[in-house]
Amino acid sequence: MNEQSQEGALALHQRIQAGELSALEVLDNTFATIEKLDPQIEAFNCLTKDFAYKTAEEVDKAIKAGQRLPLLAGVPLALKDNIHLKGVKTTCSSKILENYVAPFNATVTNKLCEHMIPVVGKTNLDEFAMGSSTENSAFRKTKNPWDLSRVPGGSSGGSAAAVASGQTFISLGSDTGGSVRQPAALCGTVGLKPTYGLVSRYGLVAFASSLDQISPFASNVQDIAAVLQVISGADPLDSTSLQNVPPMDYLASLDKPIEGLKVGYITELLEAGLQPDTKAAIESAMKTFESLGAKVEPVSLPNLRYAIASYYIIATAEASSNLARYDGVRYGSRLNADKDILQMYLSTRAQGFGDEVKRRIMLGTFSLSSGYYEAYYGKAQKVRQLITNDFKNAFNQFDLLLGPTSPTTAFKIGEKSSDPVEMYLSDIATIPVNLAGIPAISIPCGFDQQHLPIGLQLIGPHLSEAVLLQAASAFESKTSLKNLHPQTLASV
Ligand code: GLN
């Protein structure tokens, strides 16, 4: 494990700023750690050493010139392989984009460049971010650093495993139905899904555009706040990005006490299906909040039980439309180019997409087809509104809501891959949040009997990131569950 990761990203940045460590040294150390650990973890699809070293040199030059560095400058970061870094492949872990090189930077990537944050590599994911275990990648199966026979969660499993194993300090993923919070929970890291529109989606390969949100991972809450500070903000290149949000200092309010905060625990999420150790850890987290002076009471969100069904109509409908562009002409690979256009189109898609992606394109195409549109897609949109209303009602009484992030801890590789519905059910606690467009954070709250990490989810109303981070930080200070890395990896 990388020694420096014990202290976290912000502390490392401060040491670079103070001249105690050079950005080059930090990067050497990071790549040495990746070379040692990643053959087992398989978090990365590719490394971007040239880009990272160029950035680190700029940092060291700025320090020599006596300049004040921008936030997080010099701290290595891993980028999910569905976010563009110009000149480097964006594969989405799909055969259809195996050789596709990004022609431009995502807006978040530009922000990382402005902040002199070295991107060290692109991380593995479920193909096109569709999945909950990273097993749907066309290239490799990322392992959970706490137990190499288990999944890291998904779809941003590579970004979660990179941070949990101490290969990088921070990483970015995308969260459409839980793809950052669920792997954060399964890997013992922190993951935040911001309010829809707070972070630009420009340059993130679209899966389900009304739900997708670029989201950070880190080993502690302070580092998450710092990354959010860097990546958030209005963007003219993303018409859904929020325009009039006053600039926030997410780090400033972290230490404020949470006395008097009203926290509602979602009764539906504590019912059947929850692993007993997870239930016990969430109940003990509720007591911790009470000991911090919060008022914790039950709240019911009756329409949550329809969330998975409506998500798998809406997300697949949007995906079927977004993925129509991979036709062998405009992007990526092209097969049977000497045959007629239909043959070329059919074979490119048949061989380029994996089973889960095809399943979703078929589902989405079906529910959007005439005759079925109102019965499925139209109805799912109405249900989405009911779920959003449930949250609104709950936030009339409570500042934040609380529940598990995932009903279980990390499962074995292969355990759920033959049963898509069973896999879909692992997102019961995260999906409602995307449907409502609100923010939520997953933080470690304990371990099960096999010493696998358990995640606690805190959910807030639109643009409540500062309060969410404050509550998460208070919980983290009280429990000392931060900068968690499996000890077994240290000796590798
Ligand atoms: N696991 C969910 C799905 O398979 C969520 C994926 C995501 O957030 N990208 O759709």
Side-chain angles (χ1 to χ4, degrees):
M1 190 181 30
N2 194 331
E3 296 274 295
Q4 292 153 350
S5 65
Q6 295 295 352
E7 44 187 341
L10 210 55
L12 182 69
H13 164 72
Q14 280 151 4
R15 286 178 65 187
I16 296 171
Q17 174 71 69
E20 292 168 26
L21 277 172
S22 78
L24 281 180
E25 261 176 87
V26 170
L27 214 48
D28 285 344
N29 199 326
T30 298
F31 282 121
T33 308
I34 292 175
E35 260 150 47
K36 199 164 73 176
L37 297 184
D38 211 49
Q40 291 185 66
I41 307 284
E42 299 195 78
F44 286 93
N45 279 349
C46 76
L47 298 181
T48 49
K49 283 193 177 176
D50 292 350
F51 179 82
Y53 275 107
K54 214 175 106 232
T55 312
E57 272 165 29
E58 280 170 31
V59 173
D60 288 341
K61 233 191 254 166
I63 287 291
K64 275 214 185 85
Q67 289 168 14
R68 181 107 211 121
L69 297 174
L71 187 61
L72 290 178
V75 180
L77 174 142
L79 199 60
K80 187 175 181 179
D81 201 7
N82 61 352
I83 300 173
H84 284 345
L85 170 59
K86 188 178 173 179
V88 172
K89 283 182 197 169
T90 301
T91 70
C92 294
S93 289
S94 177
K95 268 166 67 183
I96 213 160
L97 290 179
E98 196 167 6
N99 295 309
Y100 174 75
V101 175
F104 60 90
N105 269 346
T107 294
V108 291
T109 312
N110 280 333
K111 286 178 185 276
L112 299 176
C113 294
E114 283 161 25
H115 280 255
M116 301 186 195
I117 295 172
V119 174
V120 296
K122 305 289 296 288
T123 54
N124 195 26
L125 61 147
D126 284 300
E127 185 176 5
F128 284 102
M130 297 175 185
S132 307
S133 66
T134 315
E135 291 166 289
N136 295 333
S137 165
F139 306 137
R140 52 185 53 77
K141 291 206 190 328
T142 300
K143 318 295 182 303
N144 189 311
W146 295 90
D147 176 345
L148 300 178
S149 69
R150 292 176 189 269
V151 302
S155 68
S156 313
S159 286
V163 170
S165 57
Q167 297 188 65
T168 64
F169 306 89
I170 44 181
S171 63
L172 294 185
S174 60
D175 190 313
T176 303
S179 274
V180 163
R181 286 161 289 152
Q182 185 257 17
L186 269 48
C187 287
T189 68
V190 184
L192 168 78
K193 186 203 89 74
T195 302
Y196 181 78
L198 186 62
V199 178
S200 167
R201 289 182 296 113
Y202 182 74
L204 164 70
V205 176
F207 159 15
S209 312
S210 76
L211 302 156
D212 297 340
Q213 188 63 180
I214 293 178
S215 307
F217 290 97
S219 304
N220 59 64
V221 175
Q222 195 188 34
D223 289 349
I224 282 280
V227 183
L228 183 65
Q229 192 85 22
V230 171
I231 63 173
S232 55
D235 180 11
L237 297 172
D238 172 2
S239 61
T240 59
S241 102
L242 296 172
Q243 296 302 317
N244 296 314
V245 182
M248 292 285 296
D249 185 347
Y250 296 109
L251 288 162
S253 52
L254 282 185
D255 294 334
K256 286 201 195 134
I258 58 160
E259 186 114 34
L261 197 75
K262 288 195 228 132
V263 179
Y265 67 87
I266 304 175
T267 50
E268 285 78 6
L269 294 184
L270 281 182
E271 281 163 10
L274 211 57
Q275 192 177 282
D277 289 350
T278 301
K279 192 168 183 191
I282 302 301
E283 283 166 352
S284 133
M286 282 155 44
K287 293 208 181 86
T288 305
F289 274 105
E290 276 172 350
S291 75
L292 286 163
K295 258 179 88 183
V296 184
E297 283 169 9
V299 61
S300 168
L301 279 74
N303 293 297
L304 283 200
R305 78 178 92 147
Y306 307 118
I308 291 192
S310 71
Y311 170 88
Y312 276 97
I313 304 272
I314 293 167
T316 58
E318 293 185 22
S320 72
S321 160
N322 276 327
L323 271 63
R325 72 190 70 173
Y326 306 105
D327 56 4
V329 178
R330 288 171 289 184
Y331 298 92
S333 65
R334 176 182 304 163
L335 296 177
N336 282 339
D338 53 337
K339 305 269 169 35
D340 66 64
I341 182 122
L342 189 63
Q343 279 310 315
M344 183 279 284
Y345 183 82
L346 290 174
S347 37
T348 298
R349 286 170 70 86
Q351 291 179 46
F353 289 137
D355 288 349
E356 183 61 27
V357 174
K358 285 182 195 156
R359 184 178 298 125
R360 294 193 187 205
I361 292 173
M362 286 191 283
L363 266 171
T365 308
F366 175 78
S367 62
L368 287 179
S369 55
S370 87
Y372 296 104
Y373 183 93
E374 262 314 312
Y376 292 101
Y377 185 73
K379 189 117 177 216
Q381 290 291 13
K382 288 180 188 150
V383 172
R384 182 177 193 173
Q385 190 56 51
L386 291 177
I387 291 169
T388 306
N389 292 348
D390 273 4
F391 277 114
K392 274 198 192 131
N393 292 338
F395 290 128
N396 283 336
Q397 301 168 56
F398 295 99
D399 299 305
L400 297 180
L401 304 180
L402 171 158
T405 307
S406 162
T408 67
T409 50
F411 43 93
K412 291 265 186 198
I413 293 173
E415 191 179 323
K416 295 189 182 179
S417 45
S418 59
D419 185 348
V421 174
E422 178 69 21
M423 189 75 90
Y424 295 172
L425 292 176
S426 29
D427 298 324
I428 174 68
T430 49
I431 275 175
V433 168
N434 301 72
L435 289 170
I438 53 182
I441 190 166
S442 178
I443 47 173
C445 68
F447 290 89
D448 72 4
Q449 284 170 20
Q450 289 152 298
H451 203 64
L452 296 167
I454 300 171
L456 169 75
Q457 185 177 212
L458 299 174
I459 305 171
H462 282 98
L463 297 173
S464 63
E465 278 78 359
V467 184
L468 267 182
L469 290 163
Q470 190 187 331
S473 171
F475 181 82
E476 187 188 71
S477 307
K478 184 86 180 178
T479 58
S480 300
L481 290 166
K482 65 175 184 175
N483 300 337
L484 304 176
H485 300 286
Q487 287 309 311
T488 44
L489 286 174
S491 54
V492 174

